[in-house]
Amino acid sequence: MALKPIVFTSASLLALMLAGTAHAQTQSAPETAPQQDEANDIIVTGVRASIVGALNVRKESTQIVDSIVAEDVGKLPDNNVVEALQRVTGIQVTNRTGGEAAAISIRGLPDALTTLNGRNIFTAAGQSFQLQDVSANLVKRVDVFKTRSADQIETGLAGQVNVETRRPFDFNGFAISGLARGIYNEQADSYNPNVALLVSDRWETGIGDIGLLVNGSYSRTKYRDQTVTAGAFVPFATMTPPAGTGLTAFQRIFPVGRDPITGEFGRAPALGAWDPGLNAGLSTAAGATMDVNGVETPYYLSRDAAFSSDLYGKRERPSFNVALQWAPNSSSVYTAEVFYAGFRGETFNSLQFSFVDYWANPQAPTLYDGTNIVKARTANSVYGFNSGDFTKTSTDSFVYALNGKWDLGDRGKIIGDIAYQTSKVKTSFLAMRTDRVANSIDVDFNAGGGIPSYHFDDDSLLADPGVWNVAQLYDNANRDKGSAITGTLDGYYNWDEGFLRQIKAGIRIDQRKASTAVRTQDAGAPLVRTTLAGLGEGAAFTNSDFYQGRADVPSSWTLANGYWLHDNADTVRGLYGIKTSDQLALQKVFDIDESTIAAYVQADGELSIFGRPLKLQAGVRYVTVDTDYNFFDRYNGGAQTRVSSGSDRFLPSFTARYEIFDNLRLRFNYGETLRRPNFSDINPNYNLTGDLTNVGYGSGTAGTATLKPTHSKNFDAAIEWYFERNSAITLTGFRREISGLVVPLTIQEYIPNNGIVAGATDNFAITRPVNASNGVLKGLELGLTYFPSYLPGPLNGLGFVGSVTVLDSKQNIPETNSAGVVTGESTSSFFGVSDLSYNATLAYDNGPIGARLSYIWRKEFLANNEARLFANPIGVWRNPEKSLDLQLTWNVNDRLGVTFDAVNLTKSKQQTYYKFEDVGGPDQFNLGTTLLARTFALGVRYTFK
C-alpha cells in the first residue's frame, strides 16, 4: 500500500552528553566513562557526534563496552531501546513481530542484566526488565558491557545493558526539548503517534545549586501480524497398507504406546510402534517402515493441519522520569528521581485452523522425490475450527531512588544509593471457538518460498456465520507482582603515581519479593447449541485482505469477535453456564522472598612496559542469596509447599589494558558471572493442554523448585586500532565456559481432576527445566568506524559503521525415556545463536543534512524445541533475518529539525522450519511464515537550551 500523506508537528531530543559520573555498584570504576575534556576534543555534531561519542566510550573504558550515545537513540528510526541496540556489535534481535524489535541477545545469550542508572530493574515476577518498554525518547545513553568487573552486579551471562536517563545537572540552565512523530504502519494501515517533552532548569540558591527535570513520553502502535503455517508431521499409511495391519488407505497411524513395566511397544490393529517427539523425528527415507500390529508397514509423513493467523494488536506506552538534584556545596550532590514505564496492550488473534489428517475417500498424495514426505494432498470430511482470541495486558513499573555522592578530598568519593521499585502485570484472555466439518481441502505444504497453499471446496463458506457452530470457550487471567528495596554503598580512593592507582569497595543489599496468581475456567460447549449467526449483532467478525495476496490461501473468514467477547464477557460466560465476574477470583500459585547480599573489593594499578602504560584491574565479588518459596497447588485444593534454598559464591575478575601505541591497545578480561533461575522456572505448578492431536496424552509445563544458578567463566581478548580521530577498527575474541545450563526434560505424568475440557485426558507429557547441561560459546567480533577526513566538499561527513560477529556454540542435551530416566546424550547449538551476523550503516552528516542507511542480517538459528508430540525433528529454526532502515534529518536551524524514517524497506519475513542436526530444513520441513511490517515516520523536533 502506498505511503499516505502525513502531517505532524514535532520536536527533537536534546543532544546527549557523554559525561560519566561514578555510579553505585553496577558501574565500573570512574574511568569507565570517557573523561569530559577528552570527549570535547572531538568537535563534531549531529550523526557523526553520536557515533564518535560511542567510540570514545569504548576507547576510555577499562571494560569492553559498546554504547549508544547522543543521537544514536534520538535520531535513528528507533522507538525503543531494543531497536536502538540492534546496531551494536555482537547484538542480535530475536523477535521482530508486532511492528517492532522486542528482544535481544548479546553474543548469542539472551539473559543480559538490565539496569537503569546503575540500578537493577525488572518487570513484575521476572528477573529482567522488558527493554522494549523503555522509550528511546527518555534515554541519555545506553552502555552494553561485554565484560564484567567486581563492582558490577554478578548476574547476566550475556552481559549488562545499562540505560541512563537525563538529570538536570546535565544542562547549564533552562532547557526544553520536544518531539512528535507520526508513524505509518503499512501492514495495519494505521497512523501512530510518538511524542515526548523534556523540561529542565537549575538555579543557584542560598542553599546551593538546585535542578529539576521532567521528561515524559507517549507512544501508541496499532499493528497487524499475519502468519500462514503448515502443521506438524505425523505418520500415515500408504495407499496400499499390508494385510494384517488393520489400516485402510492413507489412514493416520497413531502411536501404540509402551508397556509401563517392560518399556516394550504394545500391539494393536492400526496403531504403530513409534514414539512421538524423537529428536530427529521418524525416518523420511522412501519406503521407511514401522511395526503396525506385528507387520512391518511402509508409511508416509504428512502434516496434521494447515492454518492462518491474522492478529490485530494495539499497544500504548506512557513513561516518564523526574529528577531533582541538589548540590549544597562543591563536594556533594544529592539526587532524587522517579521513573515510570507503563504498557497497555490488547491483541485479537483471528485464527483459521483446519486439520488435514482424516482419511475419508483417500486420494493419492504428491511426495517429494526420494522421500516419504507428502508435499501436497487432498483431504476429505476435515474438521476445522476458527478461534477468536482476545488478550488484554497492562504493566506498571515504578522506580523511586535517592542517591548521594560525597567527595573525599580531591582523590576519592563515597556513593550511597537506596531504591524501591514495584512492578505489576495483569493479563486476561478470552477465546471462543467455532467449528465445522468441510467437504474437502486441497493443500500444498510448500507452494514456494516455504509458504503453504490451501483452499477448501468452497472458500466462501468460511465467511458464512451460519455454518459455524459455537464450540469451546477458554477464559483465564493472571497477575504477576514484584517489588524490591535495594541499598548500595561504594567508595573509592585514587593515587596519581606508583603502581596502585585506585582502591574501590562496596556492599549491596537487596530484598526482592514476587508473586503470581492465576485463574482458569474452560467450557466444552454452550448450554444451548447455536451457530455464530445465532449469537446476535456484533458477535461475528470477518477479516479481509489477509496476507495481501502474498500467499495462495483464503483471504477472509468469519469467527467470534474478540472485542465483542471482551465487552460482553459475562454474557458469554452465561451462555456456557460458568462463573461470571462477580464470582471469579485469582488464586495465588506462588510467592517468593529473596535476600541478596554482595560485597566486593577492587584495585587498579599501572605499570610501564617498554615505556608504555599497562593498566590492570583485579577484584573479587562475594554474593550470598537466600530464597524462600511458597507454592500453592491449584489442582490439589491450593495445598501449600514451602521450599528454602541458598547459595553463595566468590566471583573473581581481572582486566589488563596495554597501550602499544597511543592509537593501538590490547585488552584482556577474565570474569565469572551467574544466571539465576527465572521465578517461573522454579514454580512447580502445571500449565496443561489437552490431547488435541489424539496421541493419547496431553502436554504441559512445570517448574523445578530445586534449580540452581548457572555459572560462567568468561574470557575476552581485544585489539583496538584508533587510526584516525573519528575512526577505529576493533577485533575481540571471547569464550564462555558455562556450567549448569537449564534445559527442558519431558516425562509422562498422571494428573487427575485437571479440569481440561478440550482433549480431556489425565495423562500428560510434562516438560520441566533442569540444570543438566554444560556448554561452550566462543566467537569473534570485528567492528569498524570510519569517517575519512580527506573527502572533498559535499562528500565531507560521509562515513561507515559496521560490525561482523561470528559465533560457535555447543551444549550437551540429556535424553530421557518416558519415566524421566536419562538414557543418553546429544549435542545442540544454544537457542537463539546465529553463527554469523553483521550490520552496516552508511552515515552522512554535512551542514543541515544528516542521513543513515542501515542494514542488519543474521544467519539462521535454533529458536526453540517443538512439543514432543509429533514425528518431525524437534528443533524449530528461524530462517536468516534482515532489515533495511533509513533515516533522514533536515536541520532547519539550530533548534528545529525535520525527520523522515523508514523501517524494513525490503518487507522481509520471519520464517521457521524443523531441523535437528542434519535432518530437516526450510524446504521440505517448512513451518510458519509471518509478514513483518514496513513503517514510515515523519516528524519535527525542537530544542532550546
Side-chain angles (χ1 to χ4, degrees):
M1 184 173 295
L3 174 62
K4 299 181 179 180
I6 311 174
V7 179
F8 295 98
T9 59
S10 63
S12 158
L13 296 177
L14 290 171
L16 306 183
M17 301 179 68
L18 298 179
T21 54
H23 294 287
Q25 281 288 313
T26 61
Q27 301 300 300
S28 294
E31 66 264 30
T32 297
Q35 300 300 311
Q36 187 66 40
D37 57 350
E38 293 174 332
N40 286 339
D41 286 341
I42 299 174
I43 305 173
V44 292
T45 59
V47 171
R48 184 165 25 162
S50 65
I51 294 172
V52 172
L55 193 64
N56 280 332
V57 172
R58 175 163 180 145
K59 181 178 180 181
E60 301 305 324
S61 297
T62 299
Q63 304 301 314
I64 297 176
V65 54
D66 289 310
S67 300
I68 304 166
V69 300
E71 295 165 351
D72 259 351
V73 171
K75 289 183 67 176
L76 278 174
D78 304 318
N79 297 317
N80 62 52
V81 170
V82 172
E83 291 188 351
L85 286 172
Q86 64 184 327
R87 293 167 182 85
V88 172
T89 303
I91 287 186
Q92 300 170 340
V93 171
T94 57
N95 188 0
R96 295 181 183 275
T97 56
E100 68 175 2
I104 63 167
S105 62
I106 302 176
R107 295 172 171 175
L109 296 173
D111 68 327
L113 169 69
T114 50
T115 56
L116 178 75
N117 296 322
R119 305 178 185 101
N120 187 20
I121 54 173
F122 53 82
T123 300
Q127 292 282 28
S128 62
F129 190 77
Q130 301 297 318
L131 281 171
Q132 64 269 31
D133 288 345
V134 180
S135 168
N137 304 324
L138 299 184
V139 173
K140 168 183 166 182
R141 189 171 101 195
V142 183
D143 291 322
V144 180
F145 291 88
K146 309 286 186 64
T147 62
R148 311 292 279 282
S149 54
D151 61 343
Q152 293 177 281
I153 298 177
E154 63 281 348
T155 55
L157 305 187
Q160 176 184 342
V161 177
N162 181 56
V163 178
E164 290 192 23
T165 58
R166 297 174 178 85
R167 290 165 174 166
F169 284 2
D170 294 338
F171 308 99
N172 293 325
F174 177 74
I176 185 169
S177 175
L179 71 84
R181 301 168 71 213
I183 304 172
Y184 176 68
N185 185 302
E186 187 178 44
Q187 195 157 283
D189 192 19
S190 65
Y191 297 92
N192 304 286
N194 182 346
V195 295
L197 180 66
L198 176 149
V199 180
S200 180
D201 205 354
R202 58 187 297 176
W203 307 270
E204 294 182 4
T205 72
I207 59 171
D209 286 354
I210 294 177
L212 177 65
L213 177 147
V214 179
N215 191 5
S217 175
Y218 171 81
S219 66
R220 188 204 68 200
T221 302
K222 292 183 178 180
Y223 58 93
R224 186 180 182 187
D225 286 343
Q226 299 165 91
T227 305
V228 177
T229 306
F233 285 78
V234 289
F236 291 78
T238 63
M239 296 301 294
T240 55
T245 61
L247 293 168
T248 60
F250 216 167
Q251 181 175 344
R252 179 172 167 181
I253 305 174
F254 291 97
V256 69
R258 293 178 180 268
D259 186 284
I261 298 175
T262 66
E264 299 294 325
F265 279 113
R267 181 175 294 183
L271 298 180
W274 69 282
D275 288 316
L278 298 176
N279 284 345
L282 291 178
S283 173
T284 62
T289 64
M290 72 171 64
D291 184 296
V292 178
N293 202 32
V295 180
E296 285 300 315
T297 305
Y299 61 87
Y300 295 145
L301 284 174
S302 189
R303 312 300 184 106
D304 69 335
F307 52 97
S308 299
S309 168
D310 198 351
L311 185 144
Y312 302 83
K314 182 180 78 170
R315 59 174 169 268
E316 298 174 279
R317 288 194 174 109
S319 56
F320 67 81
N321 70 287
V322 179
L324 175 66
Q325 289 188 290
W326 174 42
N329 49 54
S330 61
S331 61
S332 60
V333 177
Y334 301 90
T335 303
E337 52 194 340
V338 178
F339 174 82
Y340 166 75
F343 176 86
R344 303 290 182 269
E346 61 182 39
T347 60
F348 168 34
N349 187 27
S350 170
L351 176 66
Q352 193 273 116
F353 187 103
S354 178
F355 285 100
V356 291
D357 63 342
Y358 196 47
W359 51 93
N361 302 315
Q363 301 176 37
T366 300
L367 304 180
Y368 288 103
D369 291 341
T371 75
N372 63 1
I373 303 174
V374 173
K375 182 183 187 299
R377 66 164 299 188
T378 297
N380 298 305
S381 301
V382 291
Y383 173 79
F385 65 85
N386 294 345
S387 184
D389 306 344
F390 190 85
T391 304
K392 195 173 185 68
T393 303
S394 67
T395 302
D396 294 289
S397 299
F398 291 89
V399 180
Y400 310 88
L402 180 63
N403 179 276
K405 299 185 176 79
W406 303 272
D407 289 343
L408 298 175
D410 59 355
R411 294 188 176 276
K413 193 181 290 289
I414 294 176
I415 307 156
D417 192 278
I418 187 167
Y420 174 70
Q421 58 181 309
T422 64
S423 183
K424 180 186 292 186
V425 176
K426 295 188 294 184
T427 303
S428 63
F429 174 81
L430 193 62
M432 177 186 286
R433 286 185 177 181
T434 52
D435 62 10
R436 66 158 188 165
V437 174
N439 290 330
S440 66
I441 183 173
D442 293 307
V443 188
D444 185 335
F445 295 110
N446 186 354
I451 303 175
S453 166
Y454 68 89
H455 287 282
F456 296 91
D457 63 304
D458 186 353
D459 283 349
S460 66
L461 296 178
L462 288 171
D464 182 356
V467 305
W468 291 96
N469 303 302
V470 176
Q472 299 89 2
L473 183 75
Y474 302 88
D475 179 16
N476 55 68
N478 68 278
R479 181 187 66 237
D480 295 325
K481 295 194 298 183
S483 65
I485 184 167
T486 308
T488 62
L489 184 65
D490 299 80
Y492 64 86
Y493 196 81
N494 296 322
W495 292 268
D496 295 332
E497 297 180 349
F499 169 71
L500 189 62
R501 297 300 176 93
Q502 183 187 81
I503 289 289
K504 186 177 184 183
I507 187 170
R508 177 178 184 268
I509 301 174
D510 179 78
Q511 185 71 38
R512 175 79 197 276
K513 297 180 184 294
S515 66
T516 292
V518 303
R519 67 163 178 83
T520 300
Q521 60 171 356
D522 300 337
L527 298 176
V528 178
R529 295 282 183 172
T530 185
T531 65
L532 183 58
L535 293 181
E537 184 178 358
F541 173 87
T542 303
N543 67 334
S544 61
D545 195 29
F546 174 73
Y547 233 69
Q548 286 98 57
R550 297 170 69 180
D552 184 24
V553 296
S555 61
S556 181
W557 57 87
T558 192
L559 72 166
N561 187 334
Y563 305 104
W564 179 85
L565 292 174
H566 177 265
D567 294 340
N568 299 273
D570 278 342
T571 299
V572 172
R573 291 167 181 142
L575 296 175
Y576 289 83
I578 59 177
K579 293 179 180 179
T580 54
S581 55
D582 59 334
Q583 303 167 308
L584 292 172
L586 295 171
Q587 177 183 355
K588 183 183 289 188
V589 292
F590 83 97
D591 62 51
I592 291 177
D593 193 338
E594 184 173 84
S595 299
T596 303
I597 299 176
Y600 73 92
V601 61
Q602 180 174 284
D604 289 63
E606 185 172 324
L607 293 172
S608 179
I609 298 180
F610 302 116
R612 304 298 303 173
L614 172 64
K615 295 184 178 182
L616 304 171
Q617 184 182 87
V620 63
R621 186 177 187 89
Y622 173 75
V623 58
T624 178
V625 181
D626 291 303
T627 310
D628 296 320
Y629 316 85
N630 290 305
F631 303 110
F632 307 91
D633 187 352
R634 61 191 179 116
Y635 295 114
N636 187 25
Q640 182 176 357
T641 301
R642 293 184 175 89
V643 178
S644 294
S645 65
S647 63
D648 61 274
R649 187 180 286 267
F650 285 95
L651 301 168
S653 63
F654 173 77
T655 299
R657 192 184 83 181
Y658 181 58
E659 297 187 9
I660 302 174
F661 304 107
D662 289 341
N663 61 353
L664 184 65
R665 61 187 53 182
L666 298 174
R667 298 180 198 261
F668 172 79
N669 176 271
Y670 172 79
E672 298 184 19
T673 49
L674 301 175
R675 174 194 291 167
R676 293 208 183 98
N678 291 320
F679 291 145
S680 59
D681 285 343
I682 59 177
N683 175 15
N685 282 279
Y686 297 110
N687 289 307
L688 302 177
T689 301
D691 182 14
L692 303 179
T693 56
N694 296 315
V695 296
Y697 51 85
S699 61
T701 60
T704 302
T706 56
L707 281 181
K708 301 297 182 184
T710 301
H711 176 250
S712 179
K713 296 180 179 180
N714 312 315
F715 304 84
D716 290 79
I719 182 169
E720 302 164 2
W721 179 28
Y722 300 88
F723 57 92
E724 286 191 11
R725 171 185 266 185
N726 302 339
S727 304
I729 295 176
T730 62
L731 178 64
T732 306
F734 52 88
R735 180 182 176 90
R736 304 284 182 264
E737 298 177 355
I738 307 173
S739 58
L741 280 165
V742 175
V743 294
L745 287 187
T746 303
I747 63 173
Q748 297 281 340
E749 293 191 33
Y750 176 71
I751 307 172
N753 306 315
N754 52 66
I756 295 293
V757 174
T761 181
D762 291 337
N763 298 296
F764 297 87
I766 300 298
T767 301
R768 282 189 171 86
V770 293
N771 295 107
S773 175
N774 300 319
V776 173
L777 173 70
K778 55 188 177 181
L780 291 171
E781 293 176 344
L782 177 65
L784 170 64
T785 300
Y786 185 39
F787 276 92
S789 57
Y790 52 80
L791 295 177
L795 294 180
N796 184 32
L798 186 66
F800 174 84
V801 182
S803 66
V804 178
T805 303
V806 180
L807 296 171
D808 179 59
S809 65
K810 183 176 292 186
Q811 67 180 103
N812 64 297
I813 304 293
E815 298 179 356
T816 64
N817 59 23
S818 60
V821 178
V822 176
T823 58
E825 185 176 279
S826 61
T827 60
S828 170
S829 300
F830 284 17
F831 293 116
V833 174
S834 289
D835 292 345
L836 176 66
S837 63
Y838 63 85
N839 61 74
T841 297
L842 188 65
Y844 180 75
D845 192 347
N846 191 321
I849 303 300
R852 303 185 201 210
L853 183 65
S854 301
Y855 183 74
I856 298 158
W857 182 90
R858 66 178 300 187
K859 194 178 178 183
E860 67 272 8
F861 62 95
L862 174 61
N864 59 275
N865 279 344
E866 174 71 277
R868 294 185 179 272
L869 301 174
F870 308 108
N872 44 259
I874 198 70
V876 177
W877 285 68
R878 291 261 189 94
N879 269 358
E881 297 184 349
K882 56 187 178 295
S883 181
L884 178 65
D885 307 330
L886 172 68
Q887 177 268 322
L888 298 172
T889 299
W890 172 39
N891 295 309
V892 180
N893 54 43
D894 290 342
R895 297 181 181 178
L896 183 65
V898 179
T899 65
F900 173 77
D901 305 324
V903 177
N904 190 24
L905 284 168
T906 58
K907 301 176 73 169
S908 63
K909 302 182 291 290
Q910 179 176 290
Q911 294 188 289
T912 55
Y913 59 91
Y914 292 119
K915 184 176 184 293
F916 181 82
E917 294 181 345
D918 59 348
V919 180
D923 296 324
Q924 299 173 356
F925 296 81
N926 58 300
L927 185 56
T929 300
T930 300
L931 302 183
L932 299 179
R934 181 167 61 177
T935 64
F936 303 91
L938 183 65
V940 294
R941 315 177 310 150
Y942 178 80
T943 300
F944 173 81
K945 58 180 179 177

